[in-house]
Amino acid sequence: MTTTEDHVELVAELVRLLETRILDPLEILLTSDELLSPIRARLRVEAEVWAAQLLGADRGRATATAARLIGVLFPGDGPFDPPESWWRSALGRAVARTAGHPTATAVPYATAGAMLGITRQGVHDLVKRGKLDRHPDGGVTTSSIRDRLNRPQESIPWHRKT
């Protein structure tokens, strides 16, 4: 279950990424912010929409939105393989809940832990208890991680308030 706080945090992160990865380079190339003002305003509105899509109930739409954003914000010649710290970001958490890992059917225990917000040992325990699926080639299936994150009775550790 996502909250208004999740949405606000994701919008802020998307706006920050759009600024640093798209708008700032354009401003340098164009040597002017004047042309970018309407684009900046439009991207802020779009960030709200994209956040709603990523956090919404329509998994197909959320996955397509995640793929588009990752393709634009994290371009590269190889498959998208973010560092473990990325999974703790608002976008990383939304992608984990939506698509699991966007380019892998299985991930190592350490990555699974990052996606779930728990330790590698915690992942090992969940696999042992049958709460996560071990992939035949090793690691944990991303679909079982996604399913675990979407279970209503499971709270996500980094969302707990103390």
Side-chain angles (χ1 to χ4, degrees), residues 60-79:
R61 179 175 294 224
T63 300
T65 300
R68 287 175 43 225
L69 288 170
I70 288 169
V72 169
L73 296 172
F74 305 98
D77 294 333

Side-chain angles (χ1 to χ4, degrees), residues 52-89:
Q53 290 173 344
L54 286 168
L55 299 174
D58 185 339
R59 187 175 286 174
R61 179 175 294 224
T63 300
T65 300
R68 287 175 43 225
L69 288 170
I70 288 169
V72 169
L73 296 172
F74 305 98
D77 294 333
F80 181 65
D81 190 20
E84 290 176 13
S85 61
W86 184 81
W87 295 106
R88 290 178 189 83
S89 71

Side-chain angles (χ1 to χ4, degrees), residues 4-160:
T4 301
E5 184 179 293
D6 295 328
H7 179 85
V8 169
E9 182 183 7
L10 182 54
V11 169
E13 185 174 314
L14 288 173
V15 167
R16 192 171 45 256
L17 284 167
L18 291 163
E19 288 280 341
T20 58
R21 298 193 179 243
I22 295 172
L23 295 173
D24 288 352
L26 278 174
E27 186 175 351
I28 292 166
L29 287 172
L30 299 173
T31 65
S32 170
D33 183 46
E34 184 181 334
L35 297 171
L36 297 178
S37 292
I39 296 169
R40 182 172 277 113
R42 176 62 187 259
L43 287 176
R44 288 180 190 277
V45 170
E46 292 298 328
E48 291 277 353
V49 172
W50 295 326
Q53 290 173 344
L54 286 168
L55 299 174
D58 185 339
R59 187 175 286 174
R61 179 175 294 224
T63 300
T65 300
R68 287 175 43 225
L69 288 170
I70 288 169
V72 169
L73 296 172
F74 305 98
D77 294 333
F80 181 65
D81 190 20
E84 290 176 13
S85 61
W86 184 81
W87 295 106
R88 290 178 189 83
S89 71
L91 181 56
R93 293 191 313 264
V95 169
R97 283 191 303 264
T98 300
H101 192 294
T103 60
T105 57
V107 294
Y109 282 38
T111 303
M115 293 172 75
L116 289 163
I118 61 175
T119 65
R120 183 177 180 209
Q121 182 60 46
V123 172
H124 180 72
D125 292 344
L126 290 173
V127 169
K128 217 170 145 179
R129 294 186 354 226
K131 304 288 185 177
L132 290 173
D133 298 332
R134 188 179 187 299
H135 193 273
D137 296 331
V140 179
T141 64
T142 56
S143 60
S144 71
I145 295 167
R146 181 192 63 233
D147 293 346
R148 182 145 184 96
L149 287 170
N150 286 309
R151 288 178 57 189
Q153 63 271 31
E154 294 297 323
S155 64
I156 301 169
W158 54 75
H159 282 235
R160 290 187 187 149

